[in-house]
Amino acid sequence: MLRIITEQADVRAELQRICGRTQDEQVIHKEATVREVLQAVKRQGDKAVLHYTAEFDQQTLKPEELKVTGSELDAAYQQVSKDLLRSIRLACEKIETFHRQRVPKSWVQFGDDEVVLGKRYTPVDRAGLYIPGGRACYPSTVLMNAIPAKVAGVPRVVMVTPVRGGKMVNPAVLVAAQEAGVQEIYRIGGAQAIGALAYGTETIPKVNVITGPGNIYVTLAKKLVYGTVGIDSLAGPSEVLIIADETANPVYVAADLLAQAEHDPMAAAILLTTDAIVAKKVQIEVERQLVDHPRRLDTEKAIAHYGLIVVVESLSAAAELSNEFAPEHLELEVADPWALINHIRHAGAIFMGSSTPEAVGDYLAGPNHTLPTSGAARYASALGVETFLKHSSIIQYSQTALEKVALAIDILATTEGLPSHADSVKFRVDER
Ligand SMILES: NC(=O)c1ccc[n+]([C@@H]2O[C@H](COP(=O)([O-])OP(=O)(O)OC[C@H]3O[C@@H](n4cnc5c(N)ncnc54)[C@H](O)[C@@H]3O)[C@@H](O)[C@H]2O)c1
Ligand SMILES: N[C@H](CO)Cc1c[nH]c[nH+]1
Ligand SMILES: [Zn+2]
């Protein structure tokens, strides 16, 4: 049963508990497992990857079976319906159009003072995309990760995804990968896949950046390998926070809460509403929609542990609580969402009004669905083309320009006790 809280004193503590669910005490032993897996993959390469794939995914693979073959890729097209292929292509088009807008461009500025300054954007050499596959299959996540990497111009894009019940990767995932231009795919998941991409193995190439969402094991692994490689953000178990007023439709709100809860028993689904009647109706509607829900067990776990309805006194109080939570997805199911958005400071993606369910963004609106979770939206953003780019600063000084700043550099370098810094300028200026 989705709990309703009206007692304001309890609200902040409950929201903090839910937001911090991936850092609580129960997670500490999972982190120990993840560390062990990463160390083993770093030391033993493929051997460790195969060992943990057998242990956690019940897959007995040989090294030569890790990579998805060309004939499997071809066969995937025969296994998906024409309607699915059309939907994948429609999503591809919309996601690519969105991501091609405002791609960072290199620039140089020639100043009047004989100084040239600029930024030069270049893609990483190799990117590794993690596509989750434990509880559901995610062709949409393939598109959300592969398309920005391709738009950024990454020369080598590799993908990992776990398999369930048999050695074949889900055909929809394979078709989505090919539609987005990815052909190098390895059938592994979890912390062992993140370790393989971060350190490289005999079979799997070491990459420069790892992107993509995943469960708690994947997210902890990404956090631990950060520094060895770059990552997009900590995009862990999904979350939605909905702010609703008396105009909200309880059937829609309940469906949107369950649409997150069904991802993972650790997913979070929160409603903040100004209307006690909406609160009660949503609570009843959630129960009703769960009755013959095909993913009832996991979804109920998420609702029981990390689901919550809070009755708040005003929309601005709701916005403040939402800012503290910094949700991955925020839905504004209110009469005037454009007025409320001015109060919102931290959220991965914001869905405006009652005809914009979060699912539209999950699949094909265009913006990325790989988003920061567990409060990371306070400092991080959606995955994008820039995730796969870095920029080098460009600086050019003429002799005259250097002479103009020589004294200031000399003073700064002397203050820092770094004489060769001072000399490197002085020698050039004194030569004249
Ligand atoms: N934030 C986002 O942008 C976003 C987008 C899509 C999905 N998601 C999230 O991605 C996640 C997908 O999770 P999933 O489980 O379906 O797939 P997953 O691929 O993330 O995780 C499956 C892997 O977890 C590992 N694992 C499972 N149990 C383990 C254990 N006891 N010890 C060690 N390793 C273990 C296995 O190796 C398995 O391959 C969900 O949490 C979903 O909410 C997030
Ligand atoms: N809601 C997920 C992000 O948390 C993305 C997704 C993919 N497929 C369905 N939903
Ligand atoms: Zn979703």
Side-chain angles (χ1 to χ4, degrees):
M1 170 76 80
L2 186 50
R3 284 169 310 142
I4 300 180
I5 304 192
T6 44
E7 195 47 66
Q8 298 306 307
D10 300 338
V11 171
R12 281 200 156 79
E14 261 307 277
L15 288 175
Q16 274 168 19
R17 180 188 67 78
I18 296 171
C19 187
R21 71 199 182 285
T22 56
Q23 285 129 36
D24 70 10
E25 276 168 23
Q26 290 176 8
V27 171
I28 290 171
H29 78 268
K30 293 188 172 122
E31 187 168 322
T33 307
V34 169
R35 275 184 198 280
E36 182 193 309
V37 171
L38 292 175
Q39 281 306 315
V41 172
K42 190 175 182 181
R43 280 198 306 270
Q44 300 166 12
D46 282 348
K47 188 174 165 220
V49 171
L50 297 174
H51 169 82
Y52 289 113
T53 300
E55 181 171 344
F56 298 133
D57 294 279
Q58 293 75 50
Q59 294 292 324
T60 314
L61 298 173
K62 300 190 190 92
E64 60 275 19
E65 290 176 322
L66 286 171
K67 190 171 176 184
V68 171
T69 63
S71 52
E72 284 174 85
L73 288 171
D74 292 343
Y77 274 93
Q78 312 310 318
Q79 294 164 309
V80 301
S81 69
K82 287 204 169 67
D83 284 345
L84 176 56
L85 183 57
R86 257 194 298 275
S87 304
I88 288 174
R89 286 184 173 157
L90 176 70
C92 255
E93 203 181 299
K94 287 173 171 286
I95 296 164
E96 182 168 344
T97 303
F98 179 83
H99 285 81
R100 281 203 182 282
Q101 288 176 36
R102 301 189 182 84
V103 174
K105 296 268 182 294
S106 301
W107 57 271
V108 284
Q109 187 182 63
F110 295 86
D112 296 338
D113 49 359
E114 298 185 12
V115 170
V116 184
L117 300 174
K119 274 188 181 183
R120 183 163 187 271
Y121 285 88
T122 45
V124 298
D125 287 340
R126 293 175 183 181
L129 316 181
Y130 186 89
I131 308 303
R135 292 189 156 83
C137 75
Y138 286 100
S140 57
T141 305
V142 175
L143 305 182
M144 294 288 180
N145 281 260
I147 291 172
K150 287 286 167 182
V151 170
V154 179
R156 188 169 178 191
V157 180
V158 308
M159 194 178 114
V160 293
T161 189
V163 286
R164 293 183 295 166
K167 289 183 181 169
M168 304 307 282
V169 175
N170 182 286
V173 166
L174 294 183
V175 167
Q178 293 174 89
E179 290 294 312
V182 178
Q183 307 272 348
E184 188 174 350
I185 302 164
Y186 300 92
R187 60 187 108 234
I188 50 168
Q192 58 276 20
I194 299 297
L197 291 171
Y199 306 122
T201 71
E202 300 86 326
T203 308
I204 295 143
K206 176 177 163 56
V207 300
N208 309 116
V209 67
I210 300 175
T211 68
N215 66 10
I216 187 70
Y217 297 98
V218 172
T219 309
L220 287 171
K222 278 173 69 185
K223 191 171 167 184
L224 291 171
V225 299
Y226 176 66
T228 301
V229 290
I231 61 167
D232 47 352
S233 70
L234 299 172
S238 302
E239 346 172 294
V240 67
L241 187 149
I242 302 176
I243 300 181
D245 63 11
E246 70 290 352
T247 66
N249 181 327
V251 177
Y252 302 171
V253 172
D256 293 1
L257 292 169
L258 291 176
Q260 285 313 288
E262 71 179 352
H263 275 292
D264 191 315
M266 287 190 78
I270 294 160
L271 168 64
L272 309 180
T273 179
T274 46
D275 190 309
I277 298 169
V278 167
K280 192 66 204 162
K281 283 186 176 166
V282 170
Q283 186 186 48
I284 294 166
E285 184 58 26
V286 163
E287 283 303 293
R288 195 191 66 75
Q289 292 183 24
L290 270 172
V291 170
D292 48 11
H293 197 287
R295 302 168 74 88
R296 181 171 178 165
L297 206 65
D298 280 352
T299 310
E300 266 181 345
K301 275 190 196 157
I303 288 291
H305 293 119
Y306 307 118
L308 190 65
I309 300 176
V310 181
V311 181
V312 289
E313 60 199 24
S314 65
L315 287 178
S316 58
E320 212 28 65
L321 290 171
S322 174
N323 284 330
E324 286 172 27
F325 192 91
E328 179 194 14
H329 305 100
L330 171 64
E331 286 190 1
L332 303 182
E333 298 265 343
V334 297
D336 187 356
W338 289 104
L340 188 54
I341 199 173
N342 294 322
H343 298 268
I344 302 301
R345 298 196 308 281
H346 317 296
I350 305 171
F351 297 81
M352 306 289 283
S354 84
S355 52
T356 319
E358 192 223 294
V360 84
D362 279 351
Y363 291 112
L364 50 61
N368 213 284
H369 81 202
T370 307
L371 298 161
T373 56
S374 297
R378 291 182 202 119
Y379 59 84
S381 317
L383 184 148
V385 176
E386 60 280 12
T387 309
F388 299 97
L389 296 170
K390 63 252 164 9
H391 58 83
S392 312
S393 305
I394 301 173
I395 306 170
Q396 185 180 35
Y397 267 59
S398 70
Q399 180 70 24
T400 315
L402 187 62
E403 281 165 12
K404 274 193 201 152
V405 295
L407 180 60
I409 293 173
D410 186 59
I411 292 168
L412 289 166
T414 308
T415 305
E416 291 189 352
L418 299 172
S420 291
H421 284 65
D423 286 349
S424 71
V425 174
K426 219 181 295 168
F427 292 160
R428 286 173 165 87
V429 171
D430 288 352
E431 245 177 30
R432 280 293 182 97

